[in-house]
Amino acid sequence: MAQLTVDIGGRAGVDCRGFCEYCYFKRVKTTRAFGCRYCLPFKKGCDYCTRGVREEYSGFKDLRTIADETLAALQTKSGELDRITISGGGDPSCYPQFNDLIELLGATEAPLHIGYTSGKGWDDPAVADLLVDNGLAECSFTIFAADPALRKRWMHDPTPDASLAILERLCGGAEVYAAAVVLPGVNDGAVLEHTCEWLEERGAKGLILMRFANATEQGLILENAPILKGQNVQTVESFRDMVTDFSSRFKMKISGTPLWDPEIGSPFAILHEPTIMKKLPRVQHRASVISGSVATPYISEVLSARGATSPVIPVKKEIACLITIDDLQELDLSHLEPTVIIPGRAFVHDAEAQEVLGRDGTHREVIRGPDQLTADAETSMGMTRNEVLALEMEGFSTLIQQINLYGK
């Protein structure tokens, strides 16, 4: 079985009929290169941590280019093609030759997946039949609210009624996972309850709730905070409680990011499986593990259960994969071991991390840890509990092996 991703290109805020009010890519500034796992050892900055993180792409690709790239990719695949995922920097619903694109990909007779769409580019409900007829199997659709007026106001959707009609039709012909960034006082409470009822009645498979971020420590690393001045932001704890509440009241799957998936118990579902956790290697050496403030207590609990005596060190940044060198510069170095493990996907250049974490004159070996220790809701939504547990076992086994190999 083989999978294929079709990149249609596009630019955030341009090839999506304009930014939504709450979009994380509004007012992004062209700042210095962050550094990341893909950078060369002697050079800070690469395409991923400069253009990629800012979604600085050119416009949509023309259909001929996409066709040529798809044909070339198909020739490298062996076995039956079981999935084609459409993705890009812009919104697929706004692709100017969308109908032709779907018919082209539908000719492969492989199930089609749309990784993300807001539906803002679709003005004719007939597009839903086109998608279903050409093999759409799964779609992630940003709804924000089932109230057309709210979609128009906050998403700048010119035809919200048509978008919702399309979403309704897709729910009946494919697996649809809706998504909503939650703005307290706007689309939470009774509005969110109505949205959940609307989706469940139409057969949506699930709803991913996304906690709104409005500050640098919440993940806005592109010098564009705040997105909405004066907008309240839920605490991580109150957001998790809200997800738990709505999940208990509806049959469809409801989960949240950064916390949590009530059905699976993730992130860090392994904490609910002490027998499985005992299969992890024992921690035999000391090393400082650095993580985001949300994940730190969970990682600490797992490592402590396996014998770790060094505390996991949190930075102010909530999400580990959005840690930058600024976060490391704020750490109290007196608390760090001679070996420091940073998140695998942190936006930090390894050489610069070594310099910053050794600025007190102590040589510290900086190791890049696993890319993932768990699955957030956007990942776990399409996974089984056993798959999430397997991912966590692999991630923590790798982390503990690194502690034992490089630690003191």
Side-chain angles (χ1 to χ4, degrees):
M1 307 293 278
Q3 298 184 8
L4 177 66
T5 297
V6 175
D7 182 1
I8 63 174
R11 296 155 294 178
V14 178
D15 297 311
C16 57
R17 279 188 163 176
F19 288 116
C20 295
E21 283 289 312
Y22 52 82
C23 182
Y24 299 155
F25 291 98
K26 284 173 62 179
R27 295 188 294 276
V28 167
K29 295 180 177 61
T30 303
T31 58
R32 67 192 190 285
F34 287 108
C36 68
R37 55 182 171 168
Y38 299 118
C39 291
L40 296 172
F42 52 83
K43 181 182 179 183
K44 177 184 176 181
C46 65
D47 187 68
Y48 179 74
C49 65
T50 53
R51 292 194 318 113
V53 67
R54 297 177 181 88
E55 303 241 343
E56 291 179 350
Y57 302 112
S58 57
F60 282 129
K61 300 176 182 178
D62 63 63
L63 188 61
R64 180 174 291 278
T65 298
I66 294 174
D68 291 342
E69 290 177 349
T70 301
L71 179 60
L74 285 172
Q75 291 174 342
T76 67
K77 304 292 182 182
S78 59
E80 183 180 353
L81 192 63
D82 68 334
R83 177 180 180 136
I84 294 179
T85 300
I86 303 169
S87 67
D91 189 326
S93 71
C94 297
Y95 186 69
Q97 295 174 280
F98 183 80
N99 289 10
D100 293 335
L101 172 69
I102 294 303
E103 290 175 351
L104 172 69
L105 299 178
T108 66
E109 298 185 353
L112 303 183
H113 294 234
I114 296 179
Y116 153 80
T117 184
S118 69
K120 285 162 60 175
W122 292 327
D123 299 330
D124 184 357
V127 75
D129 295 319
L130 172 76
L131 284 163
V132 173
D133 292 344
N134 280 277
L136 181 70
E138 184 177 311
C139 178
S140 177
F141 196 111
T142 293
I143 184 172
F144 186 76
D147 181 338
L150 288 177
R151 272 188 66 95
K152 189 177 185 68
R153 162 68 178 84
W154 292 93
M155 294 184 67
H156 303 299
D157 185 349
T159 55
D161 291 291
S163 300
L164 290 172
I166 291 166
L167 174 56
E168 180 173 7
R169 173 69 180 90
L170 294 181
C171 285
E175 291 192 354
V176 173
Y177 295 95
V181 174
V182 179
L183 299 180
V186 178
N187 66 334
D188 60 348
V191 174
L192 182 55
E193 183 174 7
H194 171 251
T195 299
C196 291
E197 291 172 349
W198 190 95
L199 287 167
E200 186 161 272
E201 288 172 359
R202 284 150 182 80
K205 296 298 181 182
L207 171 63
I208 303 173
L209 301 176
M210 301 177 177
R211 175 174 167 258
F212 177 61
N214 209 29
T216 302
E217 61 266 24
Q218 293 159 358
L220 300 182
I221 63 174
L222 302 176
E223 298 186 8
N224 59 333
I227 300 296
L228 293 171
K229 292 182 180 180
Q231 174 61 49
N232 291 331
V233 178
Q234 292 171 283
T235 64
V236 174
E237 294 75 19
S238 67
F239 181 81
R240 174 177 175 151
D241 291 344
M242 181 190 71
V243 172
T244 302
D245 176 45
F246 277 93
S247 176
S248 68
R249 292 158 55 190
F250 293 91
K251 294 180 181 178
M252 68 175 176
K253 181 169 182 173
I254 298 178
S255 55
T257 182
L259 293 175
W260 76 303
D261 187 328
E263 181 180 298
I264 291 178
S266 61
F268 305 104
I270 197 170
L271 288 170
H272 308 290
E273 297 288 346
T275 302
I276 295 177
M277 197 156 60
K278 287 180 180 178
K279 296 179 181 180
L280 289 170
R282 294 287 298 177
V283 179
Q284 298 173 336
H285 290 159
R286 294 177 63 87
S288 291
V289 175
I290 294 176
S291 188
S293 62
V294 172
T296 287
Y298 301 99
I299 298 172
S300 181
E301 188 173 349
V302 174
L303 294 182
S304 295
R306 301 311 299 149
T309 56
S310 297
V312 179
I313 307 295
V315 297
K316 290 183 179 179
K317 188 71 57 58
E318 292 179 345
I319 309 301
C321 63
L322 294 175
I323 288 175
T324 68
I325 197 66
D326 296 335
D327 297 302
L328 300 187
Q329 288 172 337
E330 294 180 359
L331 292 175
D332 183 347
L333 301 185
S334 65
H335 295 160
L336 298 183
E337 301 284 350
T339 300
V340 180
I341 300 177
I342 63 174
R345 293 187 292 177
F347 281 105
V348 177
H349 190 246
D350 292 352
E352 189 174 19
Q354 190 105 25
E355 178 183 346
V356 167
L357 296 180
R359 66 186 185 279
D360 61 349
T362 300
H363 173 75
R364 292 184 175 87
E365 186 173 13
V366 179
I367 307 298
R368 196 171 283 272
D371 286 350
Q372 279 186 286
L373 292 178
T374 187
D376 67 5
E378 293 179 82
T379 305
S380 67
M381 182 62 84
M383 301 174 71
T384 65
R385 193 165 193 273
N386 286 340
E387 288 172 337
V388 170
L389 289 170
L391 183 155
E392 294 179 350
M393 280 291 292
E394 180 180 359
F396 275 105
S397 294
T398 300
L399 177 60
I400 293 173
Q401 288 165 4
Q402 289 180 316
I403 294 173
N404 291 338
L405 178 62
Y406 298 105
K408 306 301 180 183

